[in-house]
PDB file of all heavy atoms in Angstrom:
ATOM      1  N   PHE A   8       0.856  -1.217  -0.008  1.00  0.00           N
ATOM      2  CA  PHE A   8      -0.038   0.001   0.002  1.00  0.00           C
ATOM      3  C   PHE A   8       0.852   1.240   0.026  1.00  0.00           C
ATOM      4  O   PHE A   8       0.700   2.180  -0.796  1.00  0.00           O
ATOM      5  CB  PHE A   8      -0.884   0.007   1.248  1.00  0.00           C
ATOM      6  CG  PHE A   8      -1.870   1.117   1.297  1.00  0.00           C
ATOM      7  CD1 PHE A   8      -2.961   1.216   0.469  1.00  0.00           C
ATOM      8  CD2 PHE A   8      -1.642   2.182   2.241  1.00  0.00           C
ATOM      9  CE1 PHE A   8      -3.853   2.321   0.524  1.00  0.00           C
ATOM     10  CE2 PHE A   8      -2.543   3.240   2.326  1.00  0.00           C
ATOM     11  CZ  PHE A   8      -3.682   3.293   1.484  1.00  0.00           C
ATOM     12  N   VAL A   9       1.911   1.235   0.883  1.00  0.00           N
ATOM     13  CA  VAL A   9       2.814   2.408   1.001  1.00  0.00           C
ATOM     14  C   VAL A   9       3.579   2.502  -0.291  1.00  0.00           C
ATOM     15  O   VAL A   9       3.839   3.618  -0.823  1.00  0.00           O
ATOM     16  CB  VAL A   9       3.700   2.256   2.245  1.00  0.00           C
ATOM     17  CG1 VAL A   9       4.863   3.331   2.145  1.00  0.00           C
ATOM     18  CG2 VAL A   9       2.896   2.453   3.486  1.00  0.00           C
ATOM     19  N   ARG A  10       4.065   1.368  -0.869  1.00  0.00           N
ATOM     20  CA  ARG A  10       4.867   1.416  -2.083  1.00  0.00           C
ATOM     21  C   ARG A  10       4.062   2.042  -3.222  1.00  0.00           C
ATOM     22  O   ARG A  10       4.625   2.829  -4.015  1.00  0.00           O
ATOM     23  CB  ARG A  10       5.310  -0.001  -2.425  1.00  0.00           C
ATOM     24  CG  ARG A  10       6.302  -0.023  -3.578  1.00  0.00           C
ATOM     25  CD  ARG A  10       6.798  -1.442  -3.824  1.00  0.00           C
ATOM     26  NE  ARG A  10       7.638  -1.959  -2.696  1.00  0.00           N
ATOM     27  CZ  ARG A  10       7.230  -2.930  -1.866  1.00  0.00           C
ATOM     28  NH1 ARG A  10       6.018  -3.518  -2.007  1.00  0.00           N
ATOM     29  NH2 ARG A  10       7.981  -3.306  -0.853  1.00  0.00           N
ATOM     30  N   LEU A  11       2.803   1.693  -3.324  1.00  0.00           N
ATOM     31  CA  LEU A  11       1.975   2.312  -4.400  1.00  0.00           C
ATOM     32  C   LEU A  11       1.866   3.815  -4.184  1.00  0.00           C
ATOM     33  O   LEU A  11       1.835   4.568  -5.165  1.00  0.00           O
ATOM     34  CB  LEU A  11       0.621   1.649  -4.421  1.00  0.00           C
ATOM     35  CG  LEU A  11       0.545   0.245  -5.040  1.00  0.00           C
ATOM     36  CD1 LEU A  11      -0.799  -0.343  -4.876  1.00  0.00           C
ATOM     37  CD2 LEU A  11       0.927   0.309  -6.526  1.00  0.00           C
ATOM     38  N   LEU A  12       1.640   4.250  -2.965  1.00  0.00           N
ATOM     39  CA  LEU A  12       1.563   5.700  -2.683  1.00  0.00           C
ATOM     40  C   LEU A  12       2.816   6.380  -3.019  1.00  0.00           C
ATOM     41  O   LEU A  12       2.804   7.504  -3.635  1.00  0.00           O
ATOM     42  CB  LEU A  12       1.213   5.881  -1.170  1.00  0.00           C
ATOM     43  CG  LEU A  12      -0.139   5.458  -0.722  1.00  0.00           C
ATOM     44  CD1 LEU A  12      -0.227   5.628   0.839  1.00  0.00           C
ATOM     45  CD2 LEU A  12      -1.241   6.238  -1.380  1.00  0.00           C
ATOM     46  N   ARG A  13       3.958   5.747  -2.749  1.00  0.00           N
ATOM     47  CA  ARG A  13       5.278   6.381  -3.059  1.00  0.00           C
ATOM     48  C   ARG A  13       5.474   6.446  -4.592  1.00  0.00           C
ATOM     49  O   ARG A  13       5.946   7.512  -5.094  1.00  0.00           O
ATOM     50  CB  ARG A  13       6.377   5.575  -2.407  1.00  0.00           C
ATOM     51  CG  ARG A  13       6.463   5.690  -0.922  1.00  0.00           C
ATOM     52  CD  ARG A  13       7.623   4.890  -0.372  1.00  0.00           C
ATOM     53  NE  ARG A  13       7.776   5.065   1.083  1.00  0.00           N
ATOM     54  CZ  ARG A  13       8.704   4.491   1.826  1.00  0.00           C
ATOM     55  NH1 ARG A  13       9.545   3.625   1.274  1.00  0.00           N
ATOM     56  NH2 ARG A  13       8.741   4.793   3.116  1.00  0.00           N
ATOM     57  N   LEU A  14       5.090   5.411  -5.279  1.00  0.00           N
ATOM     58  CA  LEU A  14       5.257   5.428  -6.687  1.00  0.00           C
ATOM     59  C   LEU A  14       4.369   6.416  -7.385  1.00  0.00           C
ATOM     60  O   LEU A  14       4.818   7.132  -8.350  1.00  0.00           O
ATOM     61  CB  LEU A  14       5.009   4.000  -7.290  1.00  0.00           C
ATOM     62  CG  LEU A  14       6.037   2.917  -7.051  1.00  0.00           C
ATOM     63  CD1 LEU A  14       5.529   1.561  -7.408  1.00  0.00           C
ATOM     64  CD2 LEU A  14       7.294   3.252  -7.786  1.00  0.00           C
ATOM     65  N   ASP A  15       3.109   6.551  -6.908  1.00  0.00           N
ATOM     66  CA  ASP A  15       2.244   7.519  -7.524  1.00  0.00           C
ATOM     67  C   ASP A  15       2.754   8.974  -7.206  1.00  0.00           C
ATOM     68  O   ASP A  15       2.651   9.813  -8.089  1.00  0.00           O
ATOM     69  CB  ASP A  15       0.806   7.374  -6.928  1.00  0.00           C
ATOM     70  CG  ASP A  15      -0.202   8.174  -7.725  1.00  0.00           C
ATOM     71  OD1 ASP A  15      -0.277   7.958  -8.968  1.00  0.00           O
ATOM     72  OD2 ASP A  15      -0.941   8.977  -7.143  1.00  0.00           O
ATOM     73  N   TRP A  16       3.284   9.235  -6.004  1.00  0.00           N
ATOM     74  CA  TRP A  16       3.839  10.549  -5.681  1.00  0.00           C
ATOM     75  C   TRP A  16       5.046  10.835  -6.596  1.00  0.00           C
ATOM     76  O   TRP A  16       5.212  11.912  -7.091  1.00  0.00           O
ATOM     77  CB  TRP A  16       4.223  10.546  -4.171  1.00  0.00           C
ATOM     78  CG  TRP A  16       4.754  11.844  -3.745  1.00  0.00           C
ATOM     79  CD1 TRP A  16       4.064  12.933  -3.327  1.00  0.00           C
ATOM     80  CD2 TRP A  16       6.150  12.265  -3.765  1.00  0.00           C
ATOM     81  NE1 TRP A  16       4.885  14.005  -2.973  1.00  0.00           N
ATOM     82  CE2 TRP A  16       6.180  13.603  -3.294  1.00  0.00           C
ATOM     83  CE3 TRP A  16       7.370  11.665  -4.160  1.00  0.00           C
ATOM     84  CZ2 TRP A  16       7.347  14.317  -3.159  1.00  0.00           C
ATOM     85  CZ3 TRP A  16       8.500  12.360  -3.978  1.00  0.00           C
ATOM     86  CH2 TRP A  16       8.515  13.695  -3.523  1.00  0.00           C
ATOM     87  N   ALA A  17       5.886   9.818  -6.705  1.00  0.00           N
ATOM     88  CA  ALA A  17       7.082   9.975  -7.559  1.00  0.00           C
ATOM     89  C   ALA A  17       6.721  10.289  -9.006  1.00  0.00           C
ATOM     90  O   ALA A  17       7.313  11.147  -9.651  1.00  0.00           O
ATOM     91  CB  ALA A  17       7.971   8.721  -7.532  1.00  0.00           C
ATOM     92  N   ALA A  18       5.687   9.600  -9.489  1.00  0.00           N
ATOM     93  CA  ALA A  18       5.222   9.845 -10.899  1.00  0.00           C
ATOM     94  C   ALA A  18       4.742  11.301 -11.066  1.00  0.00           C
ATOM     95  O   ALA A  18       5.013  11.943 -12.048  1.00  0.00           O
ATOM     96  CB  ALA A  18       4.109   8.869 -11.280  1.00  0.00           C
ATOM     97  N   ARG A  19       3.995  11.804 -10.056  1.00  0.00           N
ATOM     98  CA  ARG A  19       3.545  13.176 -10.110  1.00  0.00           C
ATOM     99  C   ARG A  19       4.705  14.114 -10.094  1.00  0.00           C
ATOM    100  O   ARG A  19       4.724  15.172 -10.760  1.00  0.00           O
ATOM    101  CB  ARG A  19       2.592  13.486  -8.956  1.00  0.00           C
ATOM    102  CG  ARG A  19       1.234  12.732  -9.074  1.00  0.00           C
ATOM    103  CD  ARG A  19       0.175  13.353  -8.202  1.00  0.00           C
ATOM    104  NE  ARG A  19       0.562  13.282  -6.831  1.00  0.00           N
ATOM    105  CZ  ARG A  19       0.307  12.308  -5.971  1.00  0.00           C
ATOM    106  NH1 ARG A  19      -0.274  11.228  -6.434  1.00  0.00           N
ATOM    107  NH2 ARG A  19       0.703  12.381  -4.692  1.00  0.00           N
ATOM    108  N   GLN A  20       5.738  13.819  -9.272  1.00  0.00           N
ATOM    109  CA  GLN A  20       6.912  14.733  -9.208  1.00  0.00           C
ATOM    110  C   GLN A  20       7.657  14.733 -10.534  1.00  0.00           C
ATOM    111  O   GLN A  20       8.217  15.767 -10.920  1.00  0.00           O
ATOM    112  CB  GLN A  20       7.828  14.244  -8.134  1.00  0.00           C
ATOM    113  CG  GLN A  20       7.263  14.468  -6.675  1.00  0.00           C
ATOM    114  CD  GLN A  20       6.923  15.858  -6.399  1.00  0.00           C
ATOM    115  OE1 GLN A  20       5.734  16.223  -6.353  1.00  0.00           O
ATOM    116  NE2 GLN A  20       7.906  16.699  -6.272  1.00  0.00           N
ATOM    117  N   LEU A  21       7.731  13.598 -11.224  1.00  0.00           N
ATOM    118  CA  LEU A  21       8.415  13.578 -12.547  1.00  0.00           C
ATOM    119  C   LEU A  21       7.739  14.517 -13.494  1.00  0.00           C
ATOM    120  O   LEU A  21       8.403  15.177 -14.313  1.00  0.00           O
ATOM    121  CB  LEU A  21       8.361  12.187 -13.089  1.00  0.00           C
ATOM    122  CG  LEU A  21       9.257  11.131 -12.410  1.00  0.00           C
ATOM    123  CD1 LEU A  21       8.885   9.693 -12.923  1.00  0.00           C
ATOM    124  CD2 LEU A  21      10.704  11.424 -12.672  1.00  0.00           C
ATOM    125  N   ALA A  22       6.394  14.680 -13.383  1.00  0.00           N
ATOM    126  CA  ALA A  22       5.627  15.570 -14.304  1.00  0.00           C
ATOM    127  C   ALA A  22       5.726  17.027 -13.849  1.00  0.00           C
ATOM    128  O   ALA A  22       5.662  17.930 -14.659  1.00  0.00           O
ATOM    129  CB  ALA A  22       4.236  15.088 -14.393  1.00  0.00           C
ATOM    130  N   GLY A  23       5.770  17.235 -12.537  1.00  0.00           N
ATOM    131  CA  GLY A  23       5.584  18.622 -12.045  1.00  0.00           C
ATOM    132  C   GLY A  23       6.735  19.217 -11.369  1.00  0.00           C
ATOM    133  O   GLY A  23       6.650  20.318 -10.798  1.00  0.00           O
ATOM    134  N   SER A  24       7.835  18.521 -11.282  1.00  0.00           N
ATOM    135  CA  SER A  24       9.004  18.999 -10.563  1.00  0.00           C
ATOM    136  C   SER A  24      10.245  18.865 -11.428  1.00  0.00           C
ATOM    137  O   SER A  24      10.377  17.998 -12.256  1.00  0.00           O
ATOM    138  CB  SER A  24       9.234  18.153  -9.271  1.00  0.00           C
ATOM    139  OG  SER A  24      10.545  18.400  -8.770  1.00  0.00           O
ATOM    140  N   GLY A  25      11.195  19.842 -11.250  1.00  0.00           N
ATOM    141  CA  GLY A  25      12.454  19.749 -11.982  1.00  0.00           C
ATOM    142  C   GLY A  25      13.501  19.016 -11.213  1.00  0.00           C
ATOM    143  O   GLY A  25      14.710  18.969 -11.717  1.00  0.00           O
ATOM    144  N   ASP A  26      13.192  18.412 -10.137  1.00  0.00           N
ATOM    145  CA  ASP A  26      14.188  17.694  -9.330  1.00  0.00           C
ATOM    146  C   ASP A  26      14.693  16.467 -10.110  1.00  0.00           C
ATOM    147  O   ASP A  26      14.014  15.886 -10.933  1.00  0.00           O
ATOM    148  CB  ASP A  26      13.542  17.167  -7.978  1.00  0.00           C
ATOM    149  CG  ASP A  26      13.188  18.320  -7.061  1.00  0.00           C
ATOM    150  OD1 ASP A  26      13.746  19.448  -7.267  1.00  0.00           O
ATOM    151  OD2 ASP A  26      12.395  18.082  -6.130  1.00  0.00           O
ATOM    152  N   SER A  27      15.906  16.119  -9.792  1.00  0.00           N
ATOM    153  CA  SER A  27      16.477  14.887 -10.457  1.00  0.00           C
ATOM    154  C   SER A  27      15.739  13.660 -10.000  1.00  0.00           C
ATOM    155  O   SER A  27      15.047  13.654  -8.944  1.00  0.00           O
ATOM    156  CB  SER A  27      17.984  14.816 -10.109  1.00  0.00           C
ATOM    157  OG  SER A  27      18.108  14.490  -8.699  1.00  0.00           O
ATOM    158  N   ILE A  28      15.862  12.616 -10.755  1.00  0.00           N
ATOM    159  CA  ILE A  28      15.225  11.353 -10.445  1.00  0.00           C
ATOM    160  C   ILE A  28      15.800  10.802  -9.103  1.00  0.00           C
ATOM    161  O   ILE A  28      15.068  10.282  -8.280  1.00  0.00           O
ATOM    162  CB  ILE A  28      15.409  10.335 -11.572  1.00  0.00           C
ATOM    163  CG1 ILE A  28      14.645  10.829 -12.786  1.00  0.00           C
ATOM    164  CG2 ILE A  28      14.886   8.972 -11.169  1.00  0.00           C
ATOM    165  CD1 ILE A  28      14.862   9.930 -14.037  1.00  0.00           C
ATOM    166  N   ALA A  29      17.076  10.974  -8.906  1.00  0.00           N
ATOM    167  CA  ALA A  29      17.739  10.542  -7.660  1.00  0.00           C
ATOM    168  C   ALA A  29      17.119  11.285  -6.464  1.00  0.00           C
ATOM    169  O   ALA A  29      16.826  10.688  -5.375  1.00  0.00           O
ATOM    170  CB  ALA A  29      19.194  10.735  -7.687  1.00  0.00           C
ATOM    171  N   ALA A  30      16.896  12.582  -6.578  1.00  0.00           N
ATOM    172  CA  ALA A  30      16.319  13.398  -5.514  1.00  0.00           C
ATOM    173  C   ALA A  30      14.833  12.958  -5.244  1.00  0.00           C
ATOM    174  O   ALA A  30      14.441  12.824  -4.091  1.00  0.00           O
ATOM    175  CB  ALA A  30      16.377  14.869  -5.867  1.00  0.00           C
ATOM    176  N   ILE A  31      14.133  12.729  -6.347  1.00  0.00           N
ATOM    177  CA  ILE A  31      12.749  12.310  -6.182  1.00  0.00           C
ATOM    178  C   ILE A  31      12.619  10.951  -5.476  1.00  0.00           C
ATOM    179  O   ILE A  31      11.883  10.747  -4.586  1.00  0.00           O
ATOM    180  CB  ILE A  31      12.057  12.218  -7.571  1.00  0.00           C
ATOM    181  CG1 ILE A  31      11.849  13.638  -8.114  1.00  0.00           C
ATOM    182  CG2 ILE A  31      10.695  11.522  -7.486  1.00  0.00           C
ATOM    183  CD1 ILE A  31      11.312  13.674  -9.551  1.00  0.00           C
ATOM    184  N   ALA A  32      13.591  10.026  -5.843  1.00  0.00           N
ATOM    185  CA  ALA A  32      13.618   8.744  -5.138  1.00  0.00           C
ATOM    186  C   ALA A  32      13.836   8.902  -3.685  1.00  0.00           C
ATOM    187  O   ALA A  32      13.135   8.226  -2.862  1.00  0.00           O
ATOM    188  CB  ALA A  32      14.718   7.841  -5.836  1.00  0.00           C
ATOM    189  N   ALA A  33      14.787   9.723  -3.293  1.00  0.00           N
ATOM    190  CA  ALA A  33      15.085   9.932  -1.894  1.00  0.00           C
ATOM    191  C   ALA A  33      13.888  10.585  -1.147  1.00  0.00           C
ATOM    192  O   ALA A  33      13.526  10.172  -0.059  1.00  0.00           O
ATOM    193  CB  ALA A  33      16.267  10.789  -1.721  1.00  0.00           C
ATOM    194  N   GLN A  34      13.241  11.598  -1.816  1.00  0.00           N
ATOM    195  CA  GLN A  34      12.128  12.262  -1.166  1.00  0.00           C
ATOM    196  C   GLN A  34      10.925  11.331  -1.034  1.00  0.00           C
ATOM    197  O   GLN A  34      10.151  11.481  -0.104  1.00  0.00           O
ATOM    198  CB  GLN A  34      11.743  13.506  -2.029  1.00  0.00           C
ATOM    199  CG  GLN A  34      12.815  14.589  -2.060  1.00  0.00           C
ATOM    200  CD  GLN A  34      12.561  15.554  -3.198  1.00  0.00           C
ATOM    201  OE1 GLN A  34      11.488  15.681  -3.737  1.00  0.00           O
ATOM    202  NE2 GLN A  34      13.607  16.280  -3.555  1.00  0.00           N
ATOM    203  N   ALA A  35      10.792  10.389  -1.980  1.00  0.00           N
ATOM    204  CA  ALA A  35       9.660   9.466  -1.921  1.00  0.00           C
ATOM    205  C   ALA A  35       9.838   8.389  -0.870  1.00  0.00           C
ATOM    206  O   ALA A  35       8.901   7.653  -0.537  1.00  0.00           O
ATOM    207  CB  ALA A  35       9.421   8.841  -3.286  1.00  0.00           C
ATOM    208  N   GLY A  36      11.062   8.196  -0.396  1.00  0.00           N
ATOM    209  CA  GLY A  36      11.297   7.205   0.623  1.00  0.00           C
ATOM    210  C   GLY A  36      12.017   5.986   0.137  1.00  0.00           C
ATOM    211  O   GLY A  36      12.201   5.042   0.911  1.00  0.00           O
ATOM    212  N   PHE A  37      12.458   5.975  -1.118  1.00  0.00           N
ATOM    213  CA  PHE A  37      13.221   4.821  -1.653  1.00  0.00           C
ATOM    214  C   PHE A  37      14.671   4.945  -1.287  1.00  0.00           C
ATOM    215  O   PHE A  37      15.202   5.996  -1.073  1.00  0.00           O
ATOM    216  CB  PHE A  37      13.050   4.751  -3.187  1.00  0.00           C
ATOM    217  CG  PHE A  37      11.658   4.388  -3.629  1.00  0.00           C
ATOM    218  CD1 PHE A  37      10.762   5.314  -3.963  1.00  0.00           C
ATOM    219  CD2 PHE A  37      11.275   3.000  -3.674  1.00  0.00           C
ATOM    220  CE1 PHE A  37       9.469   4.984  -4.375  1.00  0.00           C
ATOM    221  CE2 PHE A  37      10.048   2.692  -4.075  1.00  0.00           C
ATOM    222  CZ  PHE A  37       9.078   3.663  -4.465  1.00  0.00           C
ATOM    223  N   THR A  38      15.322   3.816  -1.190  1.00  0.00           N
ATOM    224  CA  THR A  38      16.745   3.776  -0.787  1.00  0.00           C
ATOM    225  C   THR A  38      17.618   4.534  -1.708  1.00  0.00           C
ATOM    226  O   THR A  38      18.493   5.285  -1.297  1.00  0.00           O
ATOM    227  CB  THR A  38      17.212   2.322  -0.651  1.00  0.00           C
ATOM    228  OG1 THR A  38      16.361   1.548   0.149  1.00  0.00           O
ATOM    229  CG2 THR A  38      18.657   2.263  -0.170  1.00  0.00           C
ATOM    230  N   ASP A  39      17.376   4.391  -3.046  1.00  0.00           N
ATOM    231  CA  ASP A  39      18.162   5.079  -4.018  1.00  0.00           C
ATOM    232  C   ASP A  39      17.407   5.118  -5.348  1.00  0.00           C
ATOM    233  O   ASP A  39      16.304   4.491  -5.426  1.00  0.00           O
ATOM    234  CB  ASP A  39      19.545   4.490  -4.181  1.00  0.00           C
ATOM    235  CG  ASP A  39      19.511   3.015  -4.430  1.00  0.00           C
ATOM    236  OD1 ASP A  39      18.565   2.516  -5.068  1.00  0.00           O
ATOM    237  OD2 ASP A  39      20.481   2.327  -4.035  1.00  0.00           O
ATOM    238  N   GLN A  40      18.003   5.638  -6.372  1.00  0.00           N
ATOM    239  CA  GLN A  40      17.325   5.709  -7.671  1.00  0.00           C
ATOM    240  C   GLN A  40      17.111   4.325  -8.320  1.00  0.00           C
ATOM    241  O   GLN A  40      16.048   4.171  -8.908  1.00  0.00           O
ATOM    242  CB  GLN A  40      18.167   6.591  -8.653  1.00  0.00           C
ATOM    243  CG  GLN A  40      17.611   6.783 -10.038  1.00  0.00           C
ATOM    244  CD  GLN A  40      18.386   7.677 -10.874  1.00  0.00           C
ATOM    245  OE1 GLN A  40      19.061   8.552 -10.414  1.00  0.00           O
ATOM    246  NE2 GLN A  40      18.210   7.528 -12.205  1.00  0.00           N
ATOM    247  N   SER A  41      18.008   3.451  -8.099  1.00  0.00           N
ATOM    248  CA  SER A  41      17.826   2.145  -8.686  1.00  0.00           C
ATOM    249  C   SER A  41      16.664   1.434  -8.036  1.00  0.00           C
ATOM    250  O   SER A  41      15.922   0.650  -8.748  1.00  0.00           O
ATOM    251  CB  SER A  41      19.107   1.283  -8.608  1.00  0.00           C
ATOM    252  OG  SER A  41      19.471   1.088  -7.246  1.00  0.00           O
ATOM    253  N   CYS A  42      16.479   1.614  -6.771  1.00  0.00           N
ATOM    254  CA  CYS A  42      15.315   0.949  -6.092  1.00  0.00           C
ATOM    255  C   CYS A  42      14.020   1.475  -6.647  1.00  0.00           C
ATOM    256  O   CYS A  42      13.108   0.719  -6.919  1.00  0.00           O
ATOM    257  CB  CYS A  42      15.457   1.227  -4.554  1.00  0.00           C
ATOM    258  SG  CYS A  42      14.117   0.415  -3.611  1.00  0.00           S
ATOM    259  N   LEU A  43      13.966   2.807  -6.840  1.00  0.00           N
ATOM    260  CA  LEU A  43      12.774   3.476  -7.429  1.00  0.00           C
ATOM    261  C   LEU A  43      12.551   2.907  -8.848  1.00  0.00           C
ATOM    262  O   LEU A  43      11.421   2.559  -9.188  1.00  0.00           O
ATOM    263  CB  LEU A  43      12.942   4.972  -7.489  1.00  0.00           C
ATOM    264  CG  LEU A  43      11.920   5.713  -8.336  1.00  0.00           C
ATOM    265  CD1 LEU A  43      10.525   5.488  -7.801  1.00  0.00           C
ATOM    266  CD2 LEU A  43      12.258   7.220  -8.425  1.00  0.00           C
ATOM    267  N   THR A  44      13.596   2.821  -9.617  1.00  0.00           N
ATOM    268  CA  THR A  44      13.527   2.354 -11.004  1.00  0.00           C
ATOM    269  C   THR A  44      12.924   0.908 -11.083  1.00  0.00           C
ATOM    270  O   THR A  44      12.065   0.647 -11.905  1.00  0.00           O
ATOM    271  CB  THR A  44      14.871   2.425 -11.742  1.00  0.00           C
ATOM    272  OG1 THR A  44      15.300   3.794 -11.747  1.00  0.00           O
ATOM    273  CG2 THR A  44      14.764   1.891 -13.132  1.00  0.00           C
ATOM    274  N   ARG A  45      13.452   0.051 -10.242  1.00  0.00           N
ATOM    275  CA  ARG A  45      12.953  -1.318 -10.227  1.00  0.00           C
ATOM    276  C   ARG A  45      11.450  -1.415  -9.877  1.00  0.00           C
ATOM    277  O   ARG A  45      10.665  -2.136 -10.536  1.00  0.00           O
ATOM    278  CB  ARG A  45      13.757  -2.193  -9.268  1.00  0.00           C
ATOM    279  CG  ARG A  45      15.169  -2.592  -9.736  1.00  0.00           C
ATOM    280  CD  ARG A  45      15.735  -3.620  -8.861  1.00  0.00           C
ATOM    281  NE  ARG A  45      15.873  -3.285  -7.475  1.00  0.00           N
ATOM    282  CZ  ARG A  45      16.928  -2.581  -6.921  1.00  0.00           C
ATOM    283  NH1 ARG A  45      17.943  -2.290  -7.736  1.00  0.00           N
ATOM    284  NH2 ARG A  45      16.976  -2.297  -5.660  1.00  0.00           N
ATOM    285  N   ALA A  46      11.064  -0.660  -8.813  1.00  0.00           N
ATOM    286  CA  ALA A  46       9.684  -0.661  -8.373  1.00  0.00           C
ATOM    287  C   ALA A  46       8.812  -0.026  -9.482  1.00  0.00           C
ATOM    288  O   ALA A  46       7.659  -0.491  -9.725  1.00  0.00           O
ATOM    289  CB  ALA A  46       9.570   0.062  -7.079  1.00  0.00           C
ATOM    290  N   PHE A  47       9.329   1.044 -10.113  1.00  0.00           N
ATOM    291  CA  PHE A  47       8.544   1.748 -11.084  1.00  0.00           C
ATOM    292  C   PHE A  47       8.305   0.854 -12.327  1.00  0.00           C
ATOM    293  O   PHE A  47       7.201   0.831 -12.876  1.00  0.00           O
ATOM    294  CB  PHE A  47       9.354   3.022 -11.492  1.00  0.00           C
ATOM    295  CG  PHE A  47       8.485   4.160 -11.990  1.00  0.00           C
ATOM    296  CD1 PHE A  47       8.042   5.106 -11.118  1.00  0.00           C
ATOM    297  CD2 PHE A  47       8.167   4.319 -13.333  1.00  0.00           C
ATOM    298  CE1 PHE A  47       7.288   6.192 -11.529  1.00  0.00           C
ATOM    299  CE2 PHE A  47       7.426   5.360 -13.798  1.00  0.00           C
ATOM    300  CZ  PHE A  47       7.005   6.321 -12.834  1.00  0.00           C
ATOM    301  N   ARG A  48       9.367   0.169 -12.750  1.00  0.00           N
ATOM    302  CA  ARG A  48       9.196  -0.734 -13.889  1.00  0.00           C
ATOM    303  C   ARG A  48       8.248  -1.874 -13.580  1.00  0.00           C
ATOM    304  O   ARG A  48       7.421  -2.270 -14.474  1.00  0.00           O
ATOM    305  CB  ARG A  48      10.598  -1.326 -14.326  1.00  0.00           C
ATOM    306  CG  ARG A  48      10.546  -2.085 -15.637  1.00  0.00           C
ATOM    307  CD  ARG A  48      11.820  -2.845 -15.834  1.00  0.00           C
ATOM    308  NE  ARG A  48      12.985  -2.024 -15.872  1.00  0.00           N
ATOM    309  CZ  ARG A  48      13.475  -1.485 -16.988  1.00  0.00           C
ATOM    310  NH1 ARG A  48      12.777  -1.642 -18.157  1.00  0.00           N
ATOM    311  NH2 ARG A  48      14.562  -0.702 -16.963  1.00  0.00           N
ATOM    312  N   ALA A  49       8.341  -2.437 -12.378  1.00  0.00           N
ATOM    313  CA  ALA A  49       7.459  -3.532 -12.042  1.00  0.00           C
ATOM    314  C   ALA A  49       5.969  -3.144 -12.022  1.00  0.00           C
ATOM    315  O   ALA A  49       5.154  -3.898 -12.358  1.00  0.00           O
ATOM    316  CB  ALA A  49       7.858  -4.103 -10.688  1.00  0.00           C
ATOM    317  N   ARG A  50       5.715  -1.880 -11.591  1.00  0.00           N
ATOM    318  CA  ARG A  50       4.368  -1.409 -11.434  1.00  0.00           C
ATOM    319  C   ARG A  50       3.775  -0.798 -12.718  1.00  0.00           C
ATOM    320  O   ARG A  50       2.659  -1.075 -13.104  1.00  0.00           O
ATOM    321  CB  ARG A  50       4.275  -0.362 -10.335  1.00  0.00           C
ATOM    322  CG  ARG A  50       2.894   0.236 -10.106  1.00  0.00           C
ATOM    323  CD  ARG A  50       1.851  -0.834  -9.889  1.00  0.00           C
ATOM    324  NE  ARG A  50       2.144  -1.606  -8.676  1.00  0.00           N
ATOM    325  CZ  ARG A  50       1.403  -2.592  -8.258  1.00  0.00           C
ATOM    326  NH1 ARG A  50       0.304  -2.926  -8.951  1.00  0.00           N
ATOM    327  NH2 ARG A  50       1.724  -3.335  -7.228  1.00  0.00           N
ATOM    328  N   PHE A  51       4.602   0.021 -13.431  1.00  0.00           N
ATOM    329  CA  PHE A  51       4.114   0.750 -14.546  1.00  0.00           C
ATOM    330  C   PHE A  51       4.602   0.224 -15.943  1.00  0.00           C
ATOM    331  O   PHE A  51       4.165   0.732 -16.977  1.00  0.00           O
ATOM    332  CB  PHE A  51       4.478   2.266 -14.437  1.00  0.00           C
ATOM    333  CG  PHE A  51       3.944   2.914 -13.217  1.00  0.00           C
ATOM    334  CD1 PHE A  51       4.739   3.660 -12.380  1.00  0.00           C
ATOM    335  CD2 PHE A  51       2.570   2.771 -12.880  1.00  0.00           C
ATOM    336  CE1 PHE A  51       4.306   4.280 -11.269  1.00  0.00           C
ATOM    337  CE2 PHE A  51       2.102   3.394 -11.691  1.00  0.00           C
ATOM    338  CZ  PHE A  51       2.931   4.138 -10.875  1.00  0.00           C
ATOM    339  N   GLY A  52       5.556  -0.704 -15.917  1.00  0.00           N
ATOM    340  CA  GLY A  52       6.085  -1.227 -17.134  1.00  0.00           C
ATOM    341  C   GLY A  52       6.998  -0.280 -17.913  1.00  0.00           C
ATOM    342  O   GLY A  52       7.232  -0.467 -19.088  1.00  0.00           O
TER     343      GLY A  52
END
């Protein structure tokens, strides 16, 4: 449940923020950018 909330928040930040992907990953609560990328790919393809 929390992972989905983090991914949805990160997706919104990608569209509405100029922050780097690494910064968005950290702000969303993921360990690092690669962790976000794996979860993002698994959920959104």
